[in-house]
Amino acid sequence: MRSSSQISPPKSENHNQSPVSNSPVVAPRRASGGFALIDSLLRHGVEHIFGYPGGAILPIYDDLYKIEAAGAVKHILVRHEQGAAHAADGYARATGKVGICFGTSGPGATNLVTGIATAYMDSIPMIVVTGQVPRASIGTDAFQETDIYGITLPIVKHSYVVRDTKDMARIVAEAFHIASTGRPGPVLIDVPKDVALEEFDYIPVEPGSIKLPGYRPTVKGNPRQINAAIQLIRESRRPLLYVGGGAIAANAHEEVKELAELFNIPVTTTLMGIGAFDEHHPLSLGMLGMHGTAYANFAVTDCDLLICVGARFDDRVTGKLDEFASLAKVIHIDIDPAEVGKNRVPEVPIVGDVKNVLKDLLRRCQDANTKATPNQNQEWLNLINRWRQDYPLIVPHHVDSISPQEVIVEVANQAPHAFYTTDVGQHQMWAAQFLKNGPRRWISSAGLGTMGFGVPAAMGAKVAFPDEEVICISGDASFQMCLQELGTLAQYGINVKTLILNNGWQGMVRQWQEAFYGQRYSSSNMEVGMPDIELLAQAYGIKGMVITKREELADKIAEMLAHNGPVIVNVHVTRDENCYPMVAPGKNNSQMVGLPKPTPRTTVESITCSNCCTQNQPNHNFCSDCGTKL
């Protein structure tokens, strides 16, 4: 078993930096397509590749073997191609760099599809290299041939089939540029076997030299729109910052903090936006949405100005869309123009890189000496603080079992600065509610909701940062989706700690069946067939542990963290615990169930104009439509 310290960390956490050439040798004049691919990846700063070989991609792996021997790159052999995609995804989320994964043609390529879709839904920069049958065999239903280009068209930012070996270096350079600029996303490069074998006069293409006509993402916001946003912020008395994953992708957490503090604006984040604002800060409201905090959901219902920063008004955030922030004017800042106005039409749309837009907005505020007037938002903050006191997140303490919330709180206390990955389900929501870690240290499949994501994503994060603590929070159902990656952890000594919150169910499925399907628990019971985790871990040569009593919890988590190597901990938690608060489908955000006391009437009543029946903000004196005095 190799210690994780043998895996070198990446050079940069900033995906906007120019990559550093890492080519091990001077490129020969004559080279194979496989060499050109690997050499081009190295020139773009790639140090780790996650993959699984097979027939069509063997020429590339042969060139990789020679270059890896020189110490320029490290290939991590996963046990399933889905694990490769999730590991590259976790690597990218943790570092901000482009993650790289390899798979062969046919079933190897299709096994990558779930991981590609996961990255696409969450805007994660990845390059996926697949082998393909020789050019002459494409379209003949050759052995292990699939049209991976066509299969993945809806779930990639861009894709290539390399038809001419001389295009290889250019295609790799374009792929990096596309994956990491604008709204990030995965790019597919499909390489026919004969292209990888063919020798040609190789001319490298250096990073940053690519110019793509027609592809120029807008990175600077429109000055007039920014000024309009400042005016709305100055006029607002109940503003709210609604921050999504775009703030993480743009590394804009400092600018978000500065804006919040400048105008005394409370901040709520999406599941993807966790870490973009310090949740220990007094202005933090935590996550909003279906399982968000009550006070965040009440705030978004009552705010008069919603400042959306790098978020997309997802249905798990908005609940009933036409009642989401229905009293508020909206400022929407996003780099993707397709997202602005897609679900909610903003009064002030600003297309641009979130970091650049916020920097410009803050600079204009400083130039004009603009800031909130004293006590401008104080009544609003007082109301939110009352909600905070009346509707806190609850950590149950049952007499005869450990609640899953207790486990999350304990591990957060012992490892507050760790990287955390999750799978998908109740454990994911509890982790989102109670972990309070920093930017890029929260790694979770949000848009696609992919069970099996947690362990391989943690593997990618740990490979990127071998000296940092990396912990996967999983469930008994999710864990079994990609448990074969324990073999990868064992082979490379990747020191990931995995906590399984084991309630014997597909927990979120069971909760929905209880709430909406008359307690008909169809195919959601996982109690029978769950492997013995200690024996399973032992079979892979790693440490397994079990926790069944509250008295064991703190000491065994400390033991887990102290162990020098991967650990799997099976924590038996309350079997029928539900995740609350919860906004039921079709309800608005203020209509939560599972609160510690009855829901107040939080929504500030709008005023109906007697002349034209327009709904107006309660603090308006004149109708915004016809001008009639209210």
Side-chain angles (χ1 to χ4, degrees), residues 443-517:
I443 298 171
S444 189
S445 171
L448 197 65
T450 307
M451 295 171 69
F453 175 81
V455 169
M459 191 163 67
K462 186 65 176 181
V463 166
F465 294 105
D467 296 326
E468 296 276 359
E469 194 71 71
V470 178
I471 300 169
C472 171
I473 307 294
S474 189
D476 49 304
S478 284
F479 173 74
Q480 295 182 75
M481 290 279 187
C482 283
L483 63 76
Q484 72 280 348
E485 296 311 325
L486 299 184
T488 310
L489 298 180
Q491 178 179 351
Y492 297 97
I494 302 173
N495 189 0
V496 165
K497 307 301 196 295
T498 301
L499 273 171
I500 301 170
L501 304 187
N502 185 352
N503 59 11
W505 293 97
Q506 298 163 29
M508 193 62 81
V509 172
R510 184 205 60 77
Q511 181 170 338
W512 279 55
Q513 288 173 332
E514 177 185 302
F516 309 121
Y517 296 91

Side-chain angles (χ1 to χ4, degrees), residues 128-204:
V128 181
V129 177
T130 52
Q132 185 54 276
V133 299
R135 284 168 288 187
S137 299
I138 293 176
T140 68
D141 292 332
F143 176 67
Q144 290 192 334
E145 180 192 0
T146 57
D147 178 12
I148 196 63
Y149 178 95
I151 288 169
T152 58
L153 275 176
I155 54 170
V156 294
K157 188 174 178 185
H158 197 63
S159 49
Y160 298 90
V161 178
V162 186
R163 301 277 183 171
D164 189 330
T165 313
K166 292 190 288 293
D167 292 334
M168 183 70 80
R170 173 186 59 80
I171 284 173
V172 172
E174 287 183 7
F176 270 92
H177 180 61
I178 293 168
S180 61
T181 57
R183 181 177 182 173
V187 176
L188 174 78
I189 304 176
D190 196 35
V191 184
K193 187 173 183 178
D194 58 326
V195 169
L197 286 166
E198 185 175 281
E199 292 195 348
F200 70 112
D201 291 332
Y202 170 47
I203 301 173

Side-chain angles (χ1 to χ4, degrees), residues 45-264:
V46 172
E47 295 179 321
H48 297 102
I49 297 168
F50 303 90
Y52 199 99
I57 203 171
L58 276 181
I60 292 172
Y61 269 85
D62 191 50
D63 282 301
L64 174 62
Y65 175 87
K66 301 165 190 173
I67 295 175
E68 189 176 13
V73 67
K74 179 64 184 176
H75 178 270
I76 306 296
L77 173 64
V78 298
R79 272 35 182 188
H80 190 284
E81 289 88 353
Q82 183 175 336
H86 292 330
D89 182 322
Y91 185 97
R93 295 188 202 225
T95 64
K97 296 178 66 176
V98 178
I100 311 294
C101 60
F102 283 6
T104 195
S105 65
T110 56
N111 282 346
L112 290 164
V113 168
T114 297
I116 297 170
T118 300
Y120 180 77
M121 288 289 284
D122 290 348
S123 304
I124 305 303
M126 271 173 43
I127 291 177
V128 181
V129 177
T130 52
Q132 185 54 276
V133 299
R135 284 168 288 187
S137 299
I138 293 176
T140 68
D141 292 332
F143 176 67
Q144 290 192 334
E145 180 192 0
T146 57
D147 178 12
I148 196 63
Y149 178 95
I151 288 169
T152 58
L153 275 176
I155 54 170
V156 294
K157 188 174 178 185
H158 197 63
S159 49
Y160 298 90
V161 178
V162 186
R163 301 277 183 171
D164 189 330
T165 313
K166 292 190 288 293
D167 292 334
M168 183 70 80
R170 173 186 59 80
I171 284 173
V172 172
E174 287 183 7
F176 270 92
H177 180 61
I178 293 168
S180 61
T181 57
R183 181 177 182 173
V187 176
L188 174 78
I189 304 176
D190 196 35
V191 184
K193 187 173 183 178
D194 58 326
V195 169
L197 286 166
E198 185 175 281
E199 292 195 348
F200 70 112
D201 291 332
Y202 170 47
I203 301 173
V205 176
E206 294 302 326
S209 61
I210 289 294
K211 305 293 181 187
L212 294 175
Y215 177 71
R216 290 187 176 85
T218 301
V219 294
K220 293 186 177 180
N222 182 289
R224 292 178 63 183
Q225 296 297 90
I226 292 174
N227 287 337
I230 293 171
Q231 185 62 30
L232 283 185
I233 295 170
R234 291 186 63 193
E235 293 172 356
S236 169
R237 294 300 178 267
R238 299 191 309 279
L240 181 66
L241 270 161
Y242 155 45
V243 180
I248 300 287
N251 296 313
H253 47 282
E254 291 296 337
E255 288 75 18
V256 170
K257 179 175 182 285
E258 190 175 344
L259 176 61
E261 291 180 342
L262 180 64
F263 289 99
N264 222 20

Side-chain angles (χ1 to χ4, degrees), residues 325-376:
S326 59
L327 300 178
K329 294 183 178 179
V330 173
I331 300 166
H332 192 172
I333 306 169
D334 203 288
I335 198 163
D336 185 357
E339 289 296 345
V340 179
K342 184 178 79 174
N343 293 326
R344 173 70 179 265
V345 178
E347 278 70 21
V348 179
I350 305 175
V351 176
D353 177 82
V354 166
K355 189 181 185 76
N356 288 342
V357 171
L358 292 182
K359 275 188 170 181
D360 193 8
L361 188 152
L362 290 164
R363 180 185 58 78
R364 289 169 184 271
C365 288
Q366 290 165 357
D367 290 348
N369 196 25
T370 300
K371 59 182 179 180
T373 57
N375 303 317
Q376 178 172 315

Side-chain angles (χ1 to χ4, degrees), residues 265-543:
I265 305 173
V267 181
T268 184
T269 68
T270 67
L271 185 66
M272 281 293 296
I274 290 174
F277 190 74
D278 181 5
E279 290 195 33
H280 297 94
H281 195 289
L283 290 171
S284 173
L285 305 185
M287 183 179 73
L288 83 166
M290 180 171 282
H291 292 286
T293 66
Y295 34 93
N297 283 331
F298 290 153
V300 80
T301 302
D302 283 7
C303 67
D304 67 3
L305 177 65
L306 188 66
I307 307 165
C308 176
V309 178
R312 59 187 180 89
F313 293 86
D314 172 74
D315 61 294
R316 289 297 174 99
V317 163
T318 65
K320 190 175 182 181
L321 182 59
D322 59 1
E323 294 182 17
F324 179 73
S326 59
L327 300 178
K329 294 183 178 179
V330 173
I331 300 166
H332 192 172
I333 306 169
D334 203 288
I335 198 163
D336 185 357
E339 289 296 345
V340 179
K342 184 178 79 174
N343 293 326
R344 173 70 179 265
V345 178
E347 278 70 21
V348 179
I350 305 175
V351 176
D353 177 82
V354 166
K355 189 181 185 76
N356 288 342
V357 171
L358 292 182
K359 275 188 170 181
D360 193 8
L361 188 152
L362 290 164
R363 180 185 58 78
R364 289 169 184 271
C365 288
Q366 290 165 357
D367 290 348
N369 196 25
T370 300
K371 59 182 179 180
T373 57
N375 303 317
Q376 178 172 315
N377 303 334
Q378 195 56 52
E379 287 187 14
W380 175 231
L381 295 176
N382 291 343
L383 177 59
I384 289 173
N385 285 332
R386 286 200 299 274
W387 291 332
R388 236 192 259 270
Q389 294 168 10
D390 291 343
Y391 300 94
L393 291 171
I394 301 299
V395 180
H397 286 76
H398 304 297
V399 174
D400 56 352
S401 64
I402 307 169
S403 75
Q405 297 94 322
E406 288 180 89
V407 182
I408 301 293
V409 169
E410 183 60 41
V411 73
N413 287 339
Q414 294 199 33
H417 304 298
F419 285 86
Y420 284 92
T421 71
T422 78
D423 277 293
V424 171
Q426 288 178 315
H427 65 273
Q428 177 190 32
M429 295 296 100
W430 284 313
Q433 289 174 345
F434 290 100
L435 295 176
K436 301 180 186 295
N437 49 352
R440 297 201 177 278
R441 290 175 180 264
W442 167 261
I443 298 171
S444 189
S445 171
L448 197 65
T450 307
M451 295 171 69
F453 175 81
V455 169
M459 191 163 67
K462 186 65 176 181
V463 166
F465 294 105
D467 296 326
E468 296 276 359
E469 194 71 71
V470 178
I471 300 169
C472 171
I473 307 294
S474 189
D476 49 304
S478 284
F479 173 74
Q480 295 182 75
M481 290 279 187
C482 283
L483 63 76
Q484 72 280 348
E485 296 311 325
L486 299 184
T488 310
L489 298 180
Q491 178 179 351
Y492 297 97
I494 302 173
N495 189 0
V496 165
K497 307 301 196 295
T498 301
L499 273 171
I500 301 170
L501 304 187
N502 185 352
N503 59 11
W505 293 97
Q506 298 163 29
M508 193 62 81
V509 172
R510 184 205 60 77
Q511 181 170 338
W512 279 55
Q513 288 173 332
E514 177 185 302
F516 309 121
Y517 296 91
Q519 299 183 357
R520 295 182 292 277
Y521 301 119
S522 175
S523 300
S524 55
N525 191 332
M526 301 294 288
E527 194 168 29
V528 177
M530 179 70 185
D532 183 311
I533 293 300
E534 285 188 291
L535 291 179
L536 178 68
Q538 184 180 340
Y540 279 101
I542 62 181
K543 184 178 178 67

